[in-house]
Amino acid sequence: SAVGGRRAALCTCSRPAASRPARFEGGPPCFQILDLPLVMMAMTLLAGAVGTAGAVSPQPDSDAGAVMAVFKYNFAAQFLSRIIPFLYNGWFVRQLNADDCAAYALQLPLFINCVLFLSREGFRRACLRNNSGSGDVLSDEEILKVAWMIIPFGLFVTFIGSLFVLRIKKLKLSDPYAKATLIIGFACMLELLAEPLYILSQTKKYYIIRVYTEPTATLLRCLTTYIFIKGQIKVEKLVVFALSQVVYAACIFIGYWTYFLLFANIRTFDLLPFRFLLYLSC
């Protein structure tokens, strides 16, 4: 205790009285050792931190409203796109024999899903995971540069997939299954031409396009098949299914391109892949 008292006295005498910071007088001993300027600075910083935290804290109501809006649009699009084929397939399957039913219910849809999944899913996930909170945000132009790569890659996947089906099944081009496969390949490419705009619409939160486009395309696909079957048009049923898929893809293509060309506040040149081609050439 005596040594501690001498050290305190030496420290006190080593500084002039004018330069010593003011201290709390009175009160408990624990508060008397605090420097008044340091306390005031700490209180100021604490008040600023609290104010900043209050300014940047998320708004629960706005976040909940945004989540509910996304859920509403996605639920409407998914529900309408699923309930229409469910009701339609119950009628259409009765019009097919056993072989055509297997191709319609399993083989051709599997071919469509494989081609579309392999062609676009990786690019779609890469673009839609553009997280604004990470600080590494891609612009619309950079997103489109990546999205337009779906077209050449999808063309390659479609060609390989169609050739694989024709070789495995040993089909001739005059066979109905071969015709249906080639027509579906064209439909897949037509749908992939709208994929860059789909990705851009998701990043810019234009969810309303999907709500109107996908159910309309599904309804037109079902109506096309119904007209061919009820009209007794002499076309193979597998070809009818493939043509209805072309109608679906054309509706998706027209819907997205019409919205962005007529209603979105984006220049047409910014949507087209010319900049992407110039980027590759450089």
Side-chain angles (χ1 to χ4, degrees):
S1 59
V3 175
R6 293 192 191 97
R7 289 179 179 175
L10 290 174
C11 293
T12 305
C13 297
S14 62
R15 288 192 297 176
S19 63
R20 295 176 201 152
R23 299 178 182 273
F24 287 107
E25 300 296 340
C30 60
F31 287 112
Q32 294 180 13
I33 64 174
L34 294 177
D35 291 341
L36 182 59
L38 292 177
V39 174
M40 297 300 295
M41 184 183 298
M43 294 177 63
T44 304
L45 292 175
L46 181 60
V50 172
T52 304
V56 300
S57 60
Q59 301 295 331
D61 294 339
S62 61
D63 291 347
V67 171
M68 287 304 299
V70 175
F71 170 76
K72 177 181 67 175
Y73 288 128
N74 286 334
F75 176 79
Q78 291 295 325
F79 178 78
L80 294 175
S81 299
R82 297 296 183 268
I83 194 64
I84 295 174
F86 176 77
L87 299 175
Y88 157 79
N89 288 334
W91 167 81
F92 183 66
V93 170
R94 299 176 184 177
Q95 315 298 322
L96 304 175
N97 55 37
D99 295 334
D100 291 343
C101 185
Y104 168 78
L106 179 61
Q107 297 173 4
L108 292 179
L110 180 62
F111 175 72
I112 296 172
N113 293 332
C114 287
V115 169
L116 293 178
F117 181 85
L118 294 176
S119 300
R120 69 188 182 187
E121 194 64 23
F123 298 98
R124 176 184 285 188
R125 289 181 180 272
C127 293
L128 295 183
R129 285 181 178 176
N130 180 29
N131 188 7
S132 59
S134 62
D136 187 14
V137 183
L138 298 177
S139 63
D140 294 344
E141 182 179 353
E142 292 171 331
I143 290 175
L144 286 175
K145 283 180 182 179
V146 177
W148 275 111
M149 295 177 64
I150 295 174
I151 308 305
F153 189 72
L155 183 62
F156 173 76
V157 172
T158 303
F159 175 77
I160 295 299
S162 302
L163 186 63
F164 175 79
V165 171
L166 295 178
R167 290 292 298 272
I168 289 296
K169 289 186 169 292
K170 298 179 181 180
L171 300 172
K172 298 180 180 179
L173 294 179
S174 57
D175 295 334
Y177 199 104
K179 293 178 182 178
T181 301
L182 297 178
I183 294 173
I184 287 176
F186 170 74
C188 290
M189 286 306 306
L190 189 59
E191 186 173 348
L192 289 176
L193 285 173
E195 186 64 23
L197 300 188
Y198 168 82
I199 293 175
L200 187 60
S201 69
Q202 294 298 301
T203 57
K204 298 181 77 67
K205 296 180 174 56
Y206 295 160
Y207 302 119
I208 195 66
I209 313 176
R210 188 180 180 187
V211 175
Y212 286 108
T213 302
E214 292 189 5
T216 303
T218 303
L219 180 62
L220 290 178
R221 179 179 63 185
C222 297
L223 288 177
T224 300
T225 308
Y226 181 83
I227 291 172
F228 270 93
I229 298 298
K230 283 299 184 180
Q232 297 181 353
I233 301 175
K234 294 183 179 180
V235 180
E236 293 86 354
K237 291 183 174 62
L238 294 181
V239 177
V240 170
F241 172 76
L243 292 176
S244 66
Q245 192 65 30
V246 173
V247 172
Y248 175 86
C251 187
I252 295 291
F253 174 81
I254 294 173
Y256 278 94
W257 277 96
T258 299
Y259 182 87
F260 275 95
L261 292 177
L262 299 181
F263 303 106
N265 189 20
I266 301 177
R267 295 185 304 172
T268 304
F269 183 76
D270 294 337
L271 298 175
L272 298 176
F274 300 132
R275 289 189 176 185
F276 170 68
L277 296 177
L278 292 175
Y279 173 78
L280 289 181
S281 63
C282 295

